[in-house]
Amino acid sequence: MRIRYFHTEGFRLSAIYTLVFALSILAIGAIVLLISDRAMRDQIVESARTDVLAMQRGYDQKGMVEVLEVIDQLRGEPGASDSFLVQQSGRRLAGNLSAMPPRTGIIELPANDRHGVILGVGVFLAPNLYAFSGSGLDHLQKTRSEILGTLLWVFLGVLLFGWNKAKPWV
């Protein structure tokens, strides 16, 4: 006698529960991904704002010499931004970025070497004296990939568990 377990009530209920649980995992995963992405971007921007504020205070207290010293100190700090620029009238004075058209506020720049995109903050320290501080988003991409990989394994585990529960064990 042939068992038609695809047509049994137990299989249908297991399939429904598995589907609902799998969709819940996907929804929660999407929310976790969005929240972690936003939090990491906010952390990068906050760090860049702190760096730019240090440059501004240095400029206000001791002038351009202090801005250069602040940048040197920031480069050596763990967790500090990794991309800097100070330029005057379109000419680069300090930093590891090329001169660029000054834009203020939160900026995403295409990177030319290490990172795909640099997220940071640009400000004018004085008229015609522009400063930018930011970090690459490469670690953000790595974290996003790890979260997606984990969610994929959990999703596959849910499907396998649901399939195992739906099988009639006689």
Side-chain angles (χ1 to χ4, degrees), residues 73-159:
Q73 290 172 355
L74 289 173
R75 281 188 183 168
E77 281 187 27
S81 299
D82 54 14
S83 299
F84 299 98
L85 172 66
V86 175
Q87 67 182 29
Q88 189 166 31
S89 302
R91 196 180 93 243
R92 181 172 74 97
L93 301 175
N96 53 359
L97 295 174
S98 302
M100 63 182 176
R103 293 187 294 165
T104 59
I106 299 170
I107 305 165
E108 283 192 20
L109 302 173
N112 53 0
D113 56 356
R114 299 180 319 236
H115 312 289
V117 175
I118 297 172
L119 176 64
V121 175
V123 297
F124 280 100
L125 302 177
N128 291 326
L129 183 60
Y130 177 75
F132 175 84
S133 175
S135 293
L137 297 180
D138 51 344
H139 68 280
L140 182 73
Q141 295 289 357
K142 182 181 176 195
T143 303
R144 191 180 298 148
S145 296
E146 289 175 5
I147 290 172
L148 285 173
T150 301
L151 289 173
L152 177 65
W153 281 110
V154 169
F155 183 74
L156 289 173
V158 166
L159 291 179

Side-chain angles (χ1 to χ4, degrees), residues 54-86:
M55 286 185 240
Q56 181 69 59
R57 286 185 181 153
Y59 182 78
D60 292 343
Q61 292 174 357
K62 296 183 182 176
M64 191 60 201
V65 174
E66 185 66 17
V67 173
L68 299 176
E69 188 176 319
V70 167
I71 289 175
D72 286 338
Q73 290 172 355
L74 289 173
R75 281 188 183 168
E77 281 187 27
S81 299
D82 54 14
S83 299
F84 299 98
L85 172 66
V86 175

Side-chain angles (χ1 to χ4, degrees), residues 2-24:
R2 197 168 131 205
I3 298 175
R4 301 172 87 185
Y5 74 92
F6 286 120
H7 300 289
T8 64
E9 187 174 342
F11 176 80
R12 284 190 288 249
L13 286 174
S14 293
I16 289 170
Y17 291 141
T18 300
L19 181 64
V20 168
F21 191 64
L23 290 176
S24 298

